[in-house]
Amino acid sequence: MTALAGPIGPARTARAMSTWLPVWLRDYRRTDLPSDVIAGLVTAVLLIPQSMAYAQLAGLPPQVGLYASVLPLAVYAMLGTSRQLSVGPVAITSLLVYSGVSALAAPGTARFVELALVLALLVGAAKLLMGVLRLGELLNFIAHPVLAAFTSASALIIAAGQLKHILGVPVGGERLHQVLAQAAAHLGRANPATLAIGLATIALLVGFRKGLRPALGRTRLRPLAVTLVVSAAPLVTVVLGTLVTWLLRLDASAGVAVVGAIPLGLSPLRVPTATAADVTALLPAAAAIVLVSVVESIAVAKSLASKRRQAIEPNRELVALGAANLAAGLFSGYPVTGGFARSVVNDQAGAVSGAASLVTAGAIAVILLFFTPLFAFLPQAVLAATVIVAVAGLVDLAEPRRIWRANRSDAVVWAMTFAAVLSLGVERGIFAGVGTSLALLLWRSSRPHIAIVGRLGESEVYRNVRRHAVTTWPHVVAVRVDESLFFANTRFLEQALLKIVADRPAVRHLVLIGSAVNFIDSSALHTLESLLHELRDGGVELHLAEIKGPVMDGLERTDFLDHLGRDHVHLTTDRALRALGCDDDPRDDRHEIRHDDPHDDPAPRRQPNATGSHTRRPPAPPVGVASPPGVVALASGDGVMVGVSGSDVAVDVSVGAVVAVGGSGVSLGTGNVGGGPGTDVSLGGLGSGSGVSGGGGNVAVGVVVELASDVPVPEPGVDVGSGVSGGGGGSKLVTPAQSGSAPVVSGPYTVPPPSWT
């Protein structure tokens, strides 16, 4: 044991250390560094004005936004699994910070800043705990309509909240309509210089985005250069606004509000203090930030990773985001998350790894160490205009129409969430939306789709009688339940099944198909026991078919199968119905196809062929030939002949069948060769053997074969005549007389089904 401890211990230690090493560092190449440096600097150019603007939105001093863009960004770069995600302050999170903290302290005060740090610690601890406990799946309960409505409504609130900085006059109000009403009332008192700076900044930013980007795209500039120019727009407006205000002394002469002095240096380590009452009051805001920010971050990370065929680990992302927020709370920042626009710029600028984020953090640290006095004359209107333009793209008016077309219930959820955010506030609004979507989920699950099914032709496929022309039998009814069975839907299921039986007095067997059932809880099991006895009292036997393995394992641990009878459990629906006599003397009950139930199965994509087998027709081939009587197959391609001959050979190739010839073999699909009628056959890979010579190279695929006359089915052991021979080019019809006598297949054989059935 001592000898083994030496090599195993260090190996395990190395593996454990490599688990928490930066993902990008494991395969990092020196040649990637220039791309990361350029991307990091480009992102820093965008992040510097954005971070100060979002801090102002959150009710915090501008330097807090810069602090939140240094260490948190570096921490995520070392722990996160996304190589392009750029972490820092974002608009929605800033709004939630302002909403949650302003109820406890006045914006701009020392207590407000202290509580914002506490909020960052709460958010970080929650994300870290969720990641360690691997609870990231809980965030899947935030439905897309909820998040879309919340984002659009929040963007309107954010934009309205910046009007006071654009107009240069106080604008109060807690709700959107109140803010807009006060802004309209105070419009006549707006500061002309402030309004001019704000409107000019908006025009410049929109011009860069809508006008300059398309114009530069039509030039010969490289995409990286275009990204750099457009991304520099916020910084350009900051520089211009600062210069104009400083040169004309607009802060003193025209009353233009400016940022003021920003202290030099990095933020020191400090542990914020708060009472238990403060922490309790901040919990709803922390929960809302966790819900929204994590969903946004992981969605952005997945989108960027998929473009490069990379993968992210959601639970490790939670750990990384949690650690980044803890760093923000301990180093004078405020809650951060991955920003969409900033991450896209980072990706477009050529970021290869998290090293780009380290460069961005380093660049902002340099600004804090040496250049913050330059921002003293920066107008607050410039930062407000930056925020308005940034959130304008978050208002998606087309999304509710798309959701309405897809599902009207989801559209109701969108509308209720949107209205709740505007009328109740961002925190209550997001929770109202989540609650509505969960209630809709429970309602849908409590009323599962139930379909009576019948057999398609002579196949083993069973489909909804309301959508397909199927065969049913008077003494058996087969019912498919398209939902797992649990306490919320068991009564609905029981009532629906009893009604189906009551409406069919001749029924003696009810087959319950569980192909869509993933679990059965104790309440559902109790209901099944009750249903079993009720049916037997009425002279009807209950059967189960297509029960999944895990569900069957659960049933095996109970005595339900003993009460039901193990001979009443069938592997497939077809076996169940044939065991109940549905293969003899059926009643041909063909049902009309109807589409009045939106939850029914989609329209059929397959049609039964002439033999009753159920096949999918392949795409239209490039060549099609109708064979005259006696013609068995068609040869096509580069010197390949396909033929079947002999009076004892049975070939029944239905209209629309395909002969696919390729390489050194032949694949004959959707016809019937031997083994009895209705057998789907695919012969492939005939490249060697007596009487066979493979054709060369790839040959044409998709030649239509039609057979005008059927031939008897052979017994095992009958030879199939000369099937393949190399020869001249072009397509050729092969009749029984033309094909040779060399055997291709002889004796008993097994043929796999065609790939498209």
Side-chain angles (χ1 to χ4, degrees):
M1 297 295 289
T2 304
L4 292 175
I8 292 179
R12 288 179 177 173
T13 303
R15 285 196 299 269
M17 292 179 62
S18 66
T19 300
W20 293 104
L21 279 176
V23 174
W24 52 268
L25 195 58
R26 301 171 192 172
D27 56 357
Y28 196 72
R29 299 172 299 179
R30 220 178 264 179
T31 54
D32 295 333
L33 186 58
S35 298
D36 282 333
V37 170
I38 294 174
L41 293 176
V42 172
T43 306
V45 168
L46 175 66
L47 183 55
I48 291 169
Q50 270 194 354
S51 61
M52 292 190 292
Y54 291 150
Q56 177 175 283
L57 169 62
L60 297 165
Q63 65 267 23
V64 175
L66 294 173
Y67 295 154
S69 304
V70 180
L71 191 59
L73 185 57
V75 168
Y76 176 83
M78 300 299 290
L79 297 178
T81 58
S82 173
R83 305 188 183 206
Q84 288 79 34
L85 187 69
S86 180
V87 169
V90 298
I92 300 295
T93 300
S94 299
L95 175 64
L96 289 168
V97 170
Y98 180 85
S99 174
V101 180
S102 61
L104 305 176
T109 63
R111 175 170 164 75
F112 190 96
V113 175
E114 195 80 4
L115 292 178
L117 302 185
V118 173
L119 183 58
L121 293 179
L122 290 175
V123 171
K127 291 181 179 180
L128 188 64
L129 186 62
M130 291 179 66
V132 171
L133 298 180
R134 308 184 71 81
L135 299 178
E137 300 299 326
L138 292 177
L139 298 173
N140 292 334
F141 286 100
I142 303 181
H144 170 70
V146 173
L147 192 60
F150 173 79
T151 302
S152 294
S154 298
L156 294 176
I157 295 174
I158 290 171
Q162 299 306 298
L163 292 178
K164 59 186 176 184
H165 300 295
I166 298 293
L167 298 176
V169 294
V171 176
E174 295 183 358
R175 301 292 178 255
L176 178 64
H177 66 281
Q178 296 172 343
V179 174
L180 294 177
Q182 286 211 18
H186 291 84
L187 191 59
R189 297 166 46 199
N191 184 304
T194 301
L195 181 60
I197 291 174
L199 295 179
T201 302
I202 292 175
L204 189 60
L205 291 172
V206 173
F208 266 76
R209 180 181 297 182
K210 301 294 185 181
L212 189 58
R213 179 185 286 275
L216 293 177
R218 292 190 291 269
T219 66
R220 296 183 178 180
L221 283 177
R222 297 175 59 185
L224 177 59
V226 175
T227 299
L228 176 59
V229 172
V230 176
S231 301
L235 188 59
V236 170
T237 59
V238 166
V239 172
L240 290 178
T242 302
L243 286 175
V244 170
T245 304
W246 174 67
L247 290 173
L248 301 179
R249 293 296 189 268
L250 294 178
D251 58 323
S253 63
V256 174
V258 295
V259 168
I262 298 178
L264 279 172
L266 299 175
S267 58
L269 172 65
R270 55 177 293 198
V271 179
T273 58
T275 64
D278 291 336
V279 172
T280 302
L282 289 173
L283 287 178
I289 291 173
V290 169
L291 289 176
V292 176
S293 64
V294 171
V295 170
E296 179 184 4
S297 293
I298 293 182
V300 174
K302 285 183 177 179
S303 174
L304 296 175
S306 63
K307 293 179 181 178
R308 297 173 179 252
R309 297 191 177 184
Q310 297 168 351
I312 68 165
E313 302 172 27
N315 288 304
R316 180 160 173 174
E317 284 292 296
L318 284 171
V319 170
L321 291 169
N325 279 277
L326 290 177
L330 294 174
F331 288 89
S332 302
Y334 75 104
V336 297
T337 190
F340 175 74
R342 193 164 56 243
S343 299
V344 169
V345 168
N346 192 39
D347 178 64
Q348 291 177 346
V352 178
S353 69
S357 292
L358 295 179
V359 173
T360 302
I364 297 176
V366 170
I367 295 294
L368 282 168
L369 287 171
F370 303 106
F371 299 103
T372 53
L374 299 178
F375 298 120
F377 289 94
L378 173 61
Q380 293 181 1
V382 171
L383 297 180
T386 302
V387 171
I388 290 175
V389 174
V391 302
L394 298 179
V395 181
D396 189 352
L397 299 179
E399 185 64 17
R401 292 196 297 270
R402 289 192 292 266
I403 294 175
W404 175 266
R405 289 195 295 267
N407 189 287
R408 295 187 177 183
S409 298
D410 286 344
V412 172
V413 172
W414 187 96
M416 293 184 66
T417 304
F418 188 84
V421 171
L422 295 182
S423 60
L424 303 177
V426 287
E427 293 176 20
R428 294 179 181 177
I430 184 65
F431 291 125
V434 172
T436 303
S437 64
L438 291 178
L440 178 62
L441 173 65
L442 288 176
W443 182 82
R444 287 170 173 169
S445 299
S446 68
R447 303 176 62 84
H449 175 245
I450 298 176
I452 301 174
V453 301
R455 182 184 296 163
L456 279 171
E458 298 179 16
S459 70
E460 297 181 1
V461 178
Y462 290 77
R463 288 291 183 264
N464 195 330
V465 299
R466 301 179 68 181
R467 286 189 170 266
H468 301 267
V470 296
T471 302
T472 59
W473 288 263
H475 67 293
V476 178
V477 60
V479 181
R480 188 188 70 230
V481 182
D482 295 335
E483 181 62 78
S484 295
L485 307 182
F486 64 111
F487 65 92
N489 60 26
T490 53
R491 295 301 176 191
F492 177 84
L493 173 68
E494 181 181 24
Q495 294 172 5
L497 294 179
L498 291 176
K499 184 178 186 307
I500 288 173
V501 172
D503 292 342
R504 294 162 176 79
V507 166
R508 293 295 174 262
H509 300 277
L510 170 64
V511 179
L512 187 60
I513 303 170
S515 56
V517 177
N518 293 319
F519 71 90
I520 299 177
D521 72 357
S522 58
S523 299
L525 185 62
H526 176 76
T527 300
L528 288 178
E529 287 272 12
S530 174
L531 178 66
L532 172 64
H533 295 303
E534 289 182 77
L535 289 176
R536 280 185 175 165
D537 290 344
V540 178
E541 287 294 319
L542 176 65
H543 300 258
L544 300 181
E546 299 189 34
I547 304 299
K548 294 182 178 180
V551 177
M552 184 60 71
D553 293 340
L555 294 178
E556 290 282 3
R557 292 191 291 269
T558 70
D559 54 2
F560 174 74
L561 295 180
D562 295 327
H563 298 163
L564 176 69
R566 294 184 179 270
D567 59 337
H568 283 43
V569 180
H570 308 271
L571 185 62
T572 67
T573 305
D574 187 67
R575 289 189 180 185
L577 268 67
R578 293 188 187 278
L580 297 175
C582 295
D583 54 347
D584 298 326
D585 190 25
R587 176 173 65 90
D588 190 14
D589 184 10
R590 303 282 176 177
H591 294 265
E592 293 293 332
I593 299 179
R594 290 159 50 187
H595 300 282
D596 52 348
D597 187 349
H599 299 292
D600 281 341
D601 296 334
R605 292 190 176 95
R606 301 181 178 184
Q607 298 295 335
N609 63 13
T611 62
S613 61
H614 202 67
T615 60
R616 178 186 297 172
R617 293 195 184 278
V623 180
V625 178
S627 305
V631 174
V632 178
L634 171 68
S636 178
D638 188 9
V640 177
M641 289 196 302
V642 183
V644 185
S645 69
S647 58
D648 294 330
V649 177
V651 178
D652 182 4
V653 185
S654 64
V655 175
V658 173
V659 174
V661 183
S664 60
V666 176
S667 174
L668 172 60
T670 2
N672 299 316
V673 179
T679 304
D680 287 333
V681 174
S682 176
L683 297 178
L686 304 178
S688 62
S690 175
V692 178
S693 62
N698 292 325
V699 225
V701 177
V703 178
V704 172
V705 176
E706 296 184 359
L707 190 68
S709 58
D710 292 340
V711 225
V713 176
E715 296 296 329
V718 177
D719 293 339
V720 178
S722 173
V724 180
S725 65
S731 300
K732 187 174 182 180
L733 290 174
V734 183
T735 63
Q738 292 173 314
S739 55
S741 58
V744 174
V745 183
S746 181
Y749 50 88
T750 303
V751 188
S755 58
W756 53 74
T757 58

